[in-house]
Amino acid sequence: MTTNTDDATDDETNSDDDFEEYADLGATTSNAMDIAETSMDRVRELVPDETLADRIRQKSVHATGDPEFQYLMRFTGADDDEPVSAGARAVLDEQPIVTDITMVKAGITGRGHDCPVKKAIGNGAELAAETGMTRTAASVLELDKQGVYDGAIAVVGNAPTAALALADCIEDGTRPAVVVATPVGFVKAAESRERLRKVAAEHGVPTITNVGRRGGSGLAAGLTNELVHVASDVREGTVSLDD
Amino acid sequence: MTTNTDDATDDETNSDDDFEEYADLGATTSNAMDIAETSMDRVRELVPDETLADRIRQKSVHATGDPEFQYLMRFTGADDDEPVSAGARAVLDEQPIVTDITMVKAGITGRGHDCPVKKAIGNGAELAAETGMTRTAASVLELDKQGVYDGAIAVVGNAPTAALALADCIEDGTRPAVVVATPVGFVKAAESRERLRKVAAEHGVPTITNVGRRGGSGLAAGLTNELVHVASDVREGTVSLDD
């Protein structure tokens, strides 16, 4: 339960001290564990600690260093907890975690799961060249053609066009287990997440996103790592998921 | 002038559409270029566009999606522009870019420079095990022993303890060309940057940092990519650096 089975080397996945931005899971040395613990303790003073969705809200604050971020998180599904349950279940089922870009993939913890970790970027170069669409959008469409997103944890940390492409795929029948999408920026970022929430809600795909222009790769990786963390707690019997 | 000479594969460095978070440099397809251009245009409506330091302030807003971030940036040196000049000069001199963790390295553009891109993490494991210090802090001390930080662009995006270790190295005589440090979080992050500014100012090392708890890997990568961008403009003759 400790290694990725995909092409990520140990070196490429989170190393032990990458905790501050996205995973206390990763802390192993004593100083690192102290800092990670104190850090999450401080976050828990600022964010409710009642529900599974609260875990994600906490992680958003932890990853951004900003207590206000908890109010920017959005959840679609039967209730706010559903996308978190669905994500943890997908982790336990060893479904692939598919990120948009390398930087997000590099932020996904290598511990606590046996999910292959893939990235979209690098696929679909021809489609991008032919159509002029962005390479990340083309890469999402290309992976989708291969069926990679069905049942997967689909993560978009960077490119609004990847989030828009993923929304198109869902409209066309693709069913990720959960979508985590936090693209950042001034053009299309907020709109891409809004469209993703709308399309996903119509088609019963649970999503974890935020509102506004903020977001980014570190946040997306952190939220995804929290799904891994919840799955670990389920495995250890300290959290149970509703059926 | 387009490839890294280090161990980073093309795949590992920024690909064309990683623009939204950290580099308009990276956009090559027509949609991507449109978005990147519009996005920086919007940023320029919100942030002054007079000085080299303004370029870094603009990039901080671009990377975080938050106009307020421009007010959180800090510069140490003879003036606010000095760390930007020093960074651009180091890029032109093909000095190494040394990041704390893999995620930051993954965010450094592969275009517009011939600097080797290295990461600290993965070094100093024994020191960490022996002392209980964090692995990133140990990795910085280990690389410093090898002389890697002298003349380099030293980048810390994630771990406060790496920033603190780097401050110790500077106190002990190490002289990076410039330090870019934006570790995020509730424990030691702001303090580590404050200490870095103080020590660096005492020893004449230019720094680009921020105040407050926010920050992160995407921001650090974006700011570093902006140094590359300034260097490209110098090469093309649209920007000149004072001596």
Side-chain angles (χ1 to χ4, degrees), chain A residues 11 17 21 119 135 217, chain B residues 11 17 21 119 135 217:
Chain A
D11 219 310
D17 301 293
E21 186 163 7
K119 60 184 174 186
R135 291 213 325 171
S217 297
Chain B
D11 219 311
D17 301 292
E21 184 163 6
K119 60 183 174 187
R135 291 215 323 174
S217 298

Side-chain angles (χ1 to χ4, degrees), chain B:
Chain B
M1 290 283 182
T2 56
T3 53
N4 287 326
T5 51
D6 201 33
D7 58 347
T9 62
D10 188 24
D11 219 311
E12 256 205 296
T13 56
N14 264 2
S15 44
D16 290 349
D17 301 292
D18 300 357
F19 51 86
E20 198 54 50
E21 184 163 6
Y22 35 81
D24 40 292
L25 266 184
T28 57
T29 64
S30 57
N31 275 358
M33 286 189 287
D34 288 350
I35 294 179
E37 214 161 289
T38 323
S39 191
M40 279 309 288
D41 284 349
R42 299 235 182 131
V43 170
R44 284 189 201 100
E45 289 166 10
L46 302 164
V47 188
D49 191 25
E50 303 289 320
T51 67
L52 289 175
D54 287 341
R55 298 270 301 253
I56 294 292
R57 291 185 189 102
Q58 288 173 354
K59 181 52 77 171
S60 77
V61 171
H62 190 248
T64 60
D66 181 3
E68 301 301 312
F69 216 94
Q70 61 184 304
Y71 308 114
L72 304 181
M73 295 306 301
R74 294 294 181 272
F75 304 85
T76 66
D79 55 34
D80 283 4
D81 287 349
E82 196 203 0
V84 192
S85 301
R89 239 181 239 115
V91 171
L92 293 168
D93 291 345
E94 301 176 14
Q95 292 293 319
I97 298 170
V98 189
T99 71
D100 52 344
I101 60 161
T102 308
M103 197 173 176
V104 180
K105 179 168 183 274
I108 304 295
T109 181
R111 294 162 190 274
H113 69 89
D114 273 330
C115 303
V117 183
K118 299 168 188 289
K119 60 183 174 187
I121 193 74
N123 297 280
E126 272 180 41
L127 183 62
E130 277 166 30
T131 60
M133 76 173 65
T134 70
R135 291 215 323 174
T136 33
S139 71
V140 167
L141 298 181
E142 177 64 32
L143 278 198
D144 185 57
K145 244 198 310 189
Q146 299 169 20
V148 172
Y149 283 110
D150 275 309
I153 299 169
V155 187
V156 179
N158 181 69
T161 52
L164 291 169
L166 191 59
D168 288 348
C169 297
I170 292 168
E171 214 161 35
D172 291 347
T174 301
R175 295 292 174 263
V178 63
V179 174
V180 178
T182 63
V184 60
F186 288 83
V187 177
K188 294 193 194 175
E191 296 84 341
S192 73
R193 286 183 254 104
E194 193 177 343
R195 172 156 157 72
L196 204 42
R197 282 191 294 273
K198 184 172 173 288
V199 170
E202 282 166 11
H203 296 280
V205 174
T207 67
I208 297 171
T209 61
N210 65 291
V211 293
R213 290 178 297 223
R214 293 171 59 190
S217 298
L219 177 62
L223 300 179
T224 307
N225 288 343
E226 191 61 24
L227 298 177
V228 172
H229 209 159
V230 172
S232 296
D233 290 348
V234 171
R235 211 181 283 124
E236 288 164 17
T238 58
V239 163
S240 65
L241 305 175
D242 299 332
D243 283 323

Side-chain angles (χ1 to χ4, degrees), chain A residues 76 167 170 179 195-207:
Chain A
T76 67
I170 292 169
V179 174
R195 173 156 155 73
L196 204 42
R197 282 191 293 274
K198 184 171 172 289
V199 170
E202 281 167 12
H203 296 280
V205 174
T207 67

Side-chain angles (χ1 to χ4, degrees), chain A residues 20-224:
Chain A
E20 198 56 49
E21 186 163 7
Y22 36 82
D24 39 293
L25 265 183
T28 57
T29 63
S30 56
N31 276 357
M33 286 189 286
D34 288 350
I35 293 179
E37 214 161 290
T38 323
S39 191
M40 279 309 288
D41 285 349
R42 299 233 181 133
V43 169
R44 283 190 203 99
E45 289 165 10
L46 301 164
V47 189
D49 191 25
E50 303 289 321
T51 67
L52 289 175
D54 288 340
R55 298 271 300 253
I56 294 291
R57 291 185 188 102
Q58 289 174 353
K59 180 53 77 171
S60 76
V61 171
H62 190 248
T64 60
D66 181 2
E68 300 301 311
F69 216 93
Q70 61 184 305
Y71 307 114
L72 304 180
M73 294 305 301
R74 293 294 180 271
F75 304 85
T76 67
D79 56 32
D80 283 4
D81 287 350
E82 197 204 359
V84 192
S85 302
R89 241 182 238 112
V91 171
L92 293 168
D93 290 347
E94 301 176 12
Q95 292 294 317
I97 298 170
V98 189
T99 71
D100 53 343
I101 61 160
T102 308
M103 196 173 176
V104 179
K105 180 169 182 274
I108 304 296
T109 181
R111 294 162 190 272
H113 70 89
D114 274 331
C115 303
V117 183
K118 300 170 188 289
K119 60 184 174 186
I121 193 73
N123 297 280
E126 272 180 40
L127 183 61
E130 276 165 32
T131 60
M133 74 174 64
T134 70
R135 291 213 325 171
T136 33
S139 71
V140 167
L141 298 181
E142 178 65 31
L143 279 198
D144 185 56
K145 246 200 306 192
Q146 299 169 19
V148 171
Y149 283 110
D150 275 310
I153 299 169
V155 187
V156 179
N158 182 67
T161 54
L164 291 170
L166 191 59
D168 289 347
C169 297
I170 292 169
E171 215 162 33
D172 290 347
T174 301
R175 296 291 174 263
V178 63
V179 174
V180 178
T182 63
V184 59
F186 288 82
V187 177
K188 295 193 195 175
E191 297 82 340
S192 74
R193 287 183 251 104
E194 192 177 343
R195 173 156 155 73
L196 204 42
R197 282 191 293 274
K198 184 171 172 289
V199 170
E202 281 167 12
H203 296 280
V205 174
T207 67
I208 297 170
T209 60
N210 64 292
V211 292
R213 289 179 297 223
R214 293 170 59 190
S217 297
L219 177 61
L223 300 179
T224 306

